[in-house]
Amino acid sequence: MEFHVYESARAACEAAGVLLAAQITRKGDSVLGLATGSTPIPAYEMLVQWYERGVIDFDRIRTFNLDEYVGIDHKNPLSYHAFMQEHLFGKVNLRAENVHLPSGRSAMAGAAYDEKIRSAGGIDIQLLGIGRNGHIGFNEPAEEFTYGTHIVTLAKDTIEANARFFRSADEVPRQAISMGIGNIMAAKCVVLVATGENKAEAVYNTIRGPITPHVPASILQLHPCCVILADREASRLMRE
């Protein structure tokens, strides 16, 4: 596990963009595992800029997103489908058939999504954020790790954190579909970005705490290629 600290949140996020661009440059048909939320936006902005300059090309790139809310229409501006369209998909030359996001519309949706990932040859690089409670994707603290893509009931802490995107916490969907810990650990490389003081405890527990499903990100201690990029606030406890 590599751990890098940056002076600002934006610098940490842009470093993730550099790693994604390097993967695209090395392998033109890379499979990217992508994340949503405010954290990766600077990384996507960098990728768009480099695409516009002709530095990178998405024509053969394939993407799989980590998660999506259950019960929200894909055209809803608060859906993760809409988020990705706004911040990346609609601004580069990704082919529509190469873009994949999970759907919680049926009980078989998770297994079908896992099969698509396997058919693509697996994920080359997986981008992650981290929740205040140590969740990655929407894999919440639990009694055991979940392997494949699955429906999850969101923790109160997660609902409160995501309420900033909605008019109130009452509007936040209570369920989501998420890649499982097994999906994430199967990626060839994992890049986790953590920013803000409210992530400091999660970062500390991920890196120095015991490996436990009560801190889902702690499993990354076992990943052979994991890079954690944090700003000074998120790394505060690591310096004490």
Side-chain angles (χ1 to χ4, degrees):
M1 177 182 285
E2 296 182 31
F3 179 59
H4 302 278
V5 179
Y6 296 84
E7 287 298 320
S8 69
R10 186 168 188 89
C13 297
E14 289 183 346
V18 170
L19 294 177
L20 289 169
Q23 175 64 45
I24 293 168
T25 301
R26 281 196 306 268
K27 183 184 177 189
D29 62 346
S30 289
V31 180
L32 310 181
L34 301 179
T36 53
S38 56
T39 299
I41 290 177
Y44 295 151
E45 289 175 348
M46 290 189 72
L47 293 179
V48 171
Q49 291 172 11
W50 285 329
Y51 163 72
E52 291 173 343
R53 296 172 187 170
V55 178
I56 55 177
D57 181 16
F58 288 83
D59 183 60
R60 295 188 295 134
I61 296 296
R62 292 156 294 167
T63 69
F64 288 87
N65 264 69
L66 272 170
D67 42 33
E68 176 60 284
Y69 290 119
V70 169
I72 192 169
D73 188 271
H74 295 171
K75 294 182 180 179
N76 186 314
L78 295 176
S79 73
Y80 289 163
H81 284 68
F83 175 95
M84 293 305 304
Q85 187 66 26
E86 176 185 354
H87 293 287
L88 183 65
F89 297 162
K91 297 181 177 181
V92 299
N93 64 330
L94 274 164
R95 299 186 183 188
E97 64 269 23
N98 288 339
V99 171
H100 306 89
L101 292 95
S103 169
R105 294 176 179 171
S106 72
M108 297 300 293
Y113 200 63
D114 293 345
E115 180 55 37
K116 287 181 180 179
I117 294 173
R118 284 192 292 269
S119 296
I123 292 171
D124 290 303
I125 185 168
Q126 176 66 60
L127 180 62
L128 296 175
I130 186 170
R132 295 180 300 194
N133 60 7
H135 77 245
I136 46 178
F138 272 129
N139 293 284
E140 300 283 14
E143 294 301 318
E144 59 184 17
F145 293 112
T146 302
Y147 181 81
T149 303
H150 62 291
I151 302 289
V152 59
T153 298
L154 302 184
K156 180 181 178 181
D157 190 67
T158 301
I159 292 170
E160 291 175 351
N162 287 7
R164 68 188 189 276
F165 300 114
F166 295 80
R167 287 181 295 184
S168 71
D170 292 337
E171 292 190 2
V172 181
R174 268 37 186 177
Q175 289 187 312
I177 183 167
S178 174
M179 284 189 197
I181 295 297
N183 299 109
I184 292 168
M185 292 297 288
K188 298 176 181 68
C189 183
V190 172
V191 177
L192 186 150
V193 183
T195 61
E197 188 174 3
N198 64 347
K199 303 295 179 66
E201 185 175 356
V203 168
Y204 182 89
N205 290 335
T206 294
I207 299 172
R208 293 188 178 171
I211 298 172
T212 168
H214 295 288
V215 182
S218 65
I219 193 70
L220 296 175
Q221 294 178 34
L222 300 178
H223 198 285
C225 178
C226 176
V227 181
I228 297 180
L229 310 171
D231 65 0
R232 294 193 66 81
E233 287 77 10
S235 64
R236 176 179 55 83
L237 296 179
M238 297 292 294
R239 303 193 301 274
E240 295 180 355

